Each structure stands twice: as structure tokens, then as C-alpha cells.
Amino acid sequence: MTENDREFILEHIRETTKLLAHHDESNSLVNWSGHCNADRPARFLVQWCHGAPGIITSLAQFPTDYDLELEVLLQKAGEMIWQAGPLNKGVGICHGTDGNAMAFLRLYARTKNDMWLDRARAFAMHAISQRNYRYTYFTGDLGLAHSLIACRKRDCRFGMLDYF
């Protein structure tokens, strides 16, 4: 890949992420809809598979010094996750409290701000009480175990996105 190709891709990721962000200016919160279909009402869920946690997690490799506005957007998305609190769905990297803990770990890695690590650990510990005795990575206790270990080690690597 040439430097021009890389720059083209980074610019499009940046613009698309900012364009699709929904801002709640009254509270300085940011989230993304789970779909872009104009015929359906927007649903702003707060989980990895829909919304702020997934955007934060997916942009982990995006350069931190590329766009200050995007960095602020990601931190506002983290604040949205925190204010929403642990998810009622329970455990699940995909759509559970432990997946949101992983988003906080990504913000910790980006910012080196211990607040995000503390929040990741708080969510991961809360998720222990939400165990579901399903032994899968994205929807069960295996993902919970990963997030607990990741919080302990301060390791924001995320499953198949980073290990392969």
C-alpha cells in the first residue's frame, strides 16, 4: 500500500465516522445508530455490535495523532457508555457489559488516562454477576473471562481483531 492509499483510507474512515455520529450536545455525548436505513427510525444502542463501543473498539488502530476532533468524539462516546451504565442484557463481548469494558480499555490505550482503565474494571467486575453459563466468546462467559484478564493486564487487544 502506498502512502497515498493509506492517507485516502484514513481520511475516509475519519469522515465517515464523524458524519455518522449522533451528538447529544446538551450532555456532550456521542453514539452511532445501528443502521443507516433512512426508511427505519434510528436506534442508538450502547453495545459493541451497535453503537459507541463498537466504533471505539474498531478504531483502535486508527492513529491517535491524525485528528484531534475524532479523538474528542471517541472520548465523548466513552462518556456515553459510562453514563448508560452496565447493560441489562448481561454478559457478552458483542452486546454485554464486558464488551463495553473492552471499549473502555481501548480508550485507556489511546489516552493513557487511568479513568478509562478504572471504568473498564468496574464494568468487567459488574459483569461477573451477569454470568450466563454459555461458553462462547462473543455471547458468553469466555468473553467475560477475556475482559477480566485484559483489565488485569491492561491489555486492550480484542479477540480476533487483534490476535490474528
Side-chain angles (χ1 to χ4, degrees):
M1 176 184 318
T2 68
E3 185 58 34
N4 285 343
D5 292 338
R6 181 182 181 278
E7 187 66 29
F8 177 81
I9 290 168
L10 289 175
E11 186 61 24
H12 277 73
I13 291 170
R14 180 182 73 85
E15 286 303 312
T16 302
T17 302
K18 288 163 59 172
L19 176 68
L20 296 178
H22 173 75
H23 300 265
D24 179 348
E25 295 299 333
S26 63
N27 293 321
S28 296
L29 303 177
V30 172
N31 203 358
W32 289 262
S33 176
H35 62 80
C36 298
N37 185 340
D39 297 332
R40 293 172 47 195
R43 292 184 62 204
F44 293 98
L45 302 174
V46 185
Q47 53 199 41
W48 182 71
C49 54
H50 294 87
I55 297 294
I56 292 168
T57 302
S58 298
L59 291 179
Q61 301 302 321
F62 197 85
T64 57
D65 58 353
Y66 190 78
D67 182 348
L68 180 59
E69 185 180 350
L70 182 60
E71 293 305 310
V72 170
L73 201 66
L74 293 175
Q75 290 187 49
K76 287 180 178 183
E79 191 59 38
M80 156 64 113
I81 299 166
W82 180 251
Q83 287 190 27
L87 297 174
N88 291 331
K89 284 188 171 189
V91 170
I93 290 289
C94 182
H95 47 262
T97 302
D98 48 324
N100 289 4
M102 295 302 294
F104 289 138
L105 279 178
R106 295 287 209 184
L107 286 172
Y108 169 70
R110 292 185 81 77
T111 65
K112 307 301 183 232
N113 183 337
D114 284 338
M115 174 187 75
W116 297 117
L117 177 61
D118 294 342
R119 289 178 174 188
R121 289 175 170 169
F123 267 51
M125 292 302 292
H126 179 86
I128 293 172
S129 68
Q130 298 176 313
R131 289 187 61 210
N132 60 21
Y133 300 97
R134 285 195 311 249
Y135 303 106
T136 62
Y137 182 75
F138 282 104
T139 61
D141 293 342
L142 185 58
L144 171 60
H146 174 117
S147 70
L148 289 166
I149 292 167
C151 284
R152 171 98 167 65
K153 293 184 173 185
R154 301 174 183 225
D155 181 357
C156 74
R157 289 179 293 171
F158 193 91
M160 291 168 263
L161 295 176
D162 296 320
Y163 286 107
F164 300 104

